[in-house]
């Protein structure tokens, strides 16, 4: 009996040592990416400066690290999987997603959740897959986060992942900057990790710039204070650029319900109504330029991933879109419906022009 107790104590000690060592590794390895990082611009755009009163097209697409085929459900939303189905499925999903955008002949493309090197995506460099199809575009990549090895769930650890924001432009990008968003300081930061947006300057013939933001706001573990702080920081940068006379276009995954009215109750904790009033008089959600009929026909851009996607049954919501300054006119805005074939998000497209 004493030997049994002794061995049990030894096993317990080993278990505690392993858990303690892992917790120590996560705590020591964790660090935020520094703010105000200058981004490298790969300059391939064949065109010159932008012009006023000319129609341009932009797309934003959260590609969900190439995992979210229609039958995929995610463990952090109550689903089953932590990794994509296979390396081939990642390559298929990302290549199909970017091909969908390529067919739209966009002038600008904003992508979120693009993995460079991730356990969850079989270490496929997804930026390379995007760039391979979007030739003749200048582009940047801003790392959103690089995580420590997450040993959860135990049956399929989410692992170590580096993911970010990829931005493409048919017009030369003269400068680009990564900004670090405020995030939770509680334990949830180890799940939601870093959040960022990327700012790009694209010259216009009137000596102003189109300032293009690619943004991905927090979803998991955020709070009212974090949501407000992130939007306040974003708006401050928008106002700074507008004060210079520039054109401001913010696109991406806002992780807010863009269709809901302020004060509406959210049926899910990760899609609170977007606080339109916080934008002030100089900025608006681009979708607010739509007529009531157009708004009613605007398909939602994201699905819940607690189960596989079932059309007409799975909860969907409008998380993706654009904020514009009052010197930009929206000509058309739509959600490109794929049936969530390649991601848990759908691409959102907008035609716009810069006003004199």
């Amino acid at each position: 009996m004493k030997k049994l107790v002794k061995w049990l104590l030894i096993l317990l000690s080993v278990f505690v040592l392993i858990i303690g060592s892992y917790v120590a590794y996560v705590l020591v390895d964790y660090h935020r990416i520094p703010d105000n990082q200058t981004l490298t611009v790969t300059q391939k755009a064949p065109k010159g400066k932008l012009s006023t009163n000319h129609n341009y097209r932009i797309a934003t697409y959260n590609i969900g690290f190439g995992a979210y085929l229609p039958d995929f459900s995610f463990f952090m939303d109550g689903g089953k999987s932590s990794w994509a189905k296979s390396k081939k499925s990642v390559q298929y999903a990302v290549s199909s997603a970017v091909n969908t955008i390529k067919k739209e002949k966009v002038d600008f493309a904003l992508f979120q959740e693009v993995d460079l090197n991730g356990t969850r995506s079989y270490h496929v460099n997804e930026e390379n897959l995007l760039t391979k199809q979007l030739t003749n575009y200048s582009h940047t990549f801003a790392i959103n986060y690089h995580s420590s090895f997450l040993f959860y769930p135990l049956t399929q650890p989410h692992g170590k992942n580096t993911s970010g924001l990829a931005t493409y432009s048919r017009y030369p990008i003269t400068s680009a900057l990564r900004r670090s968003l405020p995030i939770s300081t509680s334990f949830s930061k180890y799940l939601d990790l870093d959040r960022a947006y990327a700012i790009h300057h694209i010259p216009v013939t009137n000596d102003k710039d189109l300032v293009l933001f690619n943004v991905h706001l927090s979803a998991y573990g955020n709070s009212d204070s974090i949501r407000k702080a992130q939007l306040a920081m974003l708006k401050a940068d928008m106002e700074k650029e507008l004060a210079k006379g520039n054109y401001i276009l913010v696109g991406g995954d806002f992780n807010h319900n863009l269709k809901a009215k302020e004060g509406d109750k959210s049926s899910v904790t990760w899609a609170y109504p977007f606080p339109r009033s916080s934008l002030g008089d100089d900025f608006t959600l681009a979708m607010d330029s739509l007529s009531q009929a157009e708004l009613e026909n605007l398909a939602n851009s994201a699905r819940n991933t607690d189960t596989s996607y079932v059309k007409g049954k799975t909860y969907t919501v409008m998380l993706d879109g654009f904020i514009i300054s009052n010197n930009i006119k929206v000509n058309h805005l739509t959600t490109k419906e794929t049936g969530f074939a390649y991601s848990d998000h759908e691409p959102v497209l907008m035609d716009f022009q810069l006003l004199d």
Side-chain angles (χ1 to χ4, degrees):
M1 186 65 179
K2 288 183 178 181
K3 287 185 177 181
L4 177 60
V5 172
K6 180 180 178 181
W7 280 110
L8 288 175
L9 288 174
I10 291 172
L11 290 174
L12 179 60
S13 299
V14 170
F15 177 76
V16 170
L17 180 61
I18 291 172
I19 297 299
S21 298
Y22 174 70
V23 171
Y25 152 73
V26 171
L27 294 175
V28 171
D29 189 62
Y30 176 83
H31 64 279
R32 291 211 67 190
I33 299 170
D35 192 14
N36 289 306
Q37 283 194 335
T38 299
L39 299 175
T40 300
V41 179
T42 302
Q43 207 72 269
K44 292 186 177 180
K47 299 189 177 183
K49 294 183 178 181
L50 298 168
S51 302
T52 57
N53 302 312
H54 177 84
N55 189 71
Y56 297 101
R57 175 167 288 188
I58 185 170
T60 182
Y61 199 175
N62 181 329
I63 63 170
F65 65 90
Y68 293 83
L69 298 179
D71 61 349
F72 184 87
S73 63
F74 191 47
F75 80 104
M76 289 182 73
D77 291 329
K80 297 178 180 179
S81 300
S82 174
W83 303 345
K85 185 180 295 184
S86 66
K87 184 175 181 177
K88 284 187 177 180
S89 74
V90 171
Q91 293 168 332
Y92 165 76
V94 175
S95 296
S96 299
V98 67
N99 189 51
T100 300
I101 299 303
K102 183 180 179 181
K103 288 179 179 178
E104 295 297 327
K105 295 181 170 57
V106 299
D107 297 292
F108 311 97
L110 312 177
F111 297 95
Q112 302 85 39
E113 284 201 63
V114 181
D115 275 11
L116 288 185
N117 184 16
T119 306
R120 64 187 186 178
S121 51
Y122 297 88
H123 306 285
V124 173
N125 187 320
E126 296 173 358
E127 182 196 7
N128 285 349
L129 295 180
L130 300 180
T131 304
K132 185 177 180 180
Q133 291 204 47
L134 295 177
T135 55
N136 297 323
Y137 284 79
S138 293
H139 73 273
T140 69
F141 189 88
I143 293 176
N144 208 10
Y145 59 80
H146 50 187
S147 69
S148 304
F149 192 97
L150 180 60
F151 214 101
Y152 183 82
L154 295 178
T155 55
Q156 194 181 64
H158 200 54
K160 190 176 182 67
N161 301 285
T162 300
S163 188
L165 313 168
T167 303
Y168 293 80
S169 169
R170 284 191 184 275
Y171 295 80
I173 300 170
T174 55
S175 65
L177 185 72
R178 179 196 182 276
R179 295 299 317 273
S180 293
L181 282 161
I183 61 169
S184 171
T185 55
S186 69
F187 180 79
S188 63
K189 70 183 180 182
Y190 298 107
L191 299 178
D192 198 31
L193 305 170
D194 252 330
R195 288 293 163 184
Y197 55 86
I199 308 173
H200 307 79
H201 283 254
I202 303 167
V204 184
T205 53
N206 61 4
D207 295 326
K208 304 297 182 183
D209 285 345
L210 169 63
V211 184
L212 185 61
F213 291 67
N214 187 350
V215 64
H216 189 185
L217 300 182
S218 291
Y220 299 102
N222 57 354
S223 63
D224 288 342
S225 61
I226 296 300
R227 284 190 292 274
K228 289 177 181 178
Q230 290 188 349
L231 289 171
M233 177 179 168
L234 178 62
K235 188 188 176 188
D237 275 343
M238 293 160 56
E239 289 176 329
K240 182 173 67 175
E241 294 294 345
L242 186 63
K244 300 174 185 177
N246 291 327
Y247 302 89
I248 316 303
L249 202 169
V250 183
D253 178 357
F254 292 94
N255 270 316
H256 285 72
N257 186 339
L258 303 185
K259 286 185 177 180
K261 296 179 181 179
E262 286 188 67
D264 286 353
K265 291 185 177 181
S266 176
S267 59
V268 292
T269 59
W270 45 267
Y272 287 85
F274 187 88
R276 283 169 166 77
S277 61
S278 68
L279 294 178
D281 297 328
D282 296 322
F283 304 100
T284 58
L285 284 174
M287 63 182 291
D288 287 349
S289 66
L290 300 179
S291 67
Q292 187 59 37
E294 290 172 327
L295 190 58
E296 290 174 358
N297 289 324
L298 181 66
N300 287 333
S301 66
R303 71 170 178 94
N304 202 348
T305 58
D306 55 341
T307 61
S308 300
Y309 174 66
V310 179
K311 186 175 181 179
K313 183 178 179 181
T314 300
Y315 175 81
T316 63
V317 63
M318 193 74 184
L319 299 183
D320 309 88
F322 305 96
I323 298 172
I324 56 172
S325 51
N326 55 16
N327 52 7
I328 294 178
K329 178 186 176 184
V330 177
N331 293 329
H332 183 66
L333 188 148
T334 188
T335 303
K336 177 71 176 179
E337 295 185 75
T338 69
F340 297 99
Y342 317 120
S343 174
D344 58 325
H345 291 249
E346 299 277 47
V348 178
L349 302 166
M350 181 176 74
D351 291 347
F352 68 96
Q353 64 188 69
L354 309 177
L355 302 176
D356 286 325

